[in-house]
């Protein structure tokens, strides 16, 4: 049962947001969607004990920070962002 549960490190890097938004440009989804879902799944599995899911929360924060930094760098370089 625990083997199908992702590791927090599996979700620490954002997915390619250009590819993500090229499929569905008007979307509330973002490249860190899997990390967000994994943290919520962890909460469900641990009866909402936040202490047991800190690694998943940190992986989500790291993913989101990396994604926003990538978008920021793209804007500074004058590249179009899909969002």
């Amino acid at each position: 049962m625990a083997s199908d549960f992702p590791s927090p490190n599996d979700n620490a890097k954002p997915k390619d947001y250009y590819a993500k938004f090229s499929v569905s440009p008007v979307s509330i989804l973002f490249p860190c969607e899997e990390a967000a879902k994994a943290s919520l799944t962890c909460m469900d599995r641990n009866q909402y004990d936040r202490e047991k899911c800190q690694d998943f929360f940190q992986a989500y924060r790291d993913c989101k920070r990396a994604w926003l930094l990538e978008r920021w760098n793209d804007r500074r370089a004058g590249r179009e962002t899909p969002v």
Side-chain angles (χ1 to χ4, degrees), residues 7-64:
S7 160
N9 294 331
D10 293 342
N11 297 312
K13 186 174 185 316
K15 305 294 183 212
D16 179 24
Y17 67 94
Y18 286 106
K20 187 85 168 172
F21 287 103
S22 68
V23 176
S24 176
V26 182
S27 173
I28 60 170
L29 304 177
F30 59 102
C32 299
E33 177 184 14
E34 284 105 11
K37 285 182 180 178
S39 63
L40 293 174
T41 301
C42 179
M43 291 287 283
D44 287 340
R45 289 181 180 227
N46 290 295
Q47 290 74 41
Y48 295 89
D49 183 357
R50 291 183 57 86
E51 291 298 315
K52 293 181 180 177
C53 298
Q54 289 303 312
D55 291 339
F56 287 94
F57 297 145
Q58 188 61 49
Y60 171 72
R61 285 191 295 270
D62 292 344
C63 180
K64 189 171 178 185

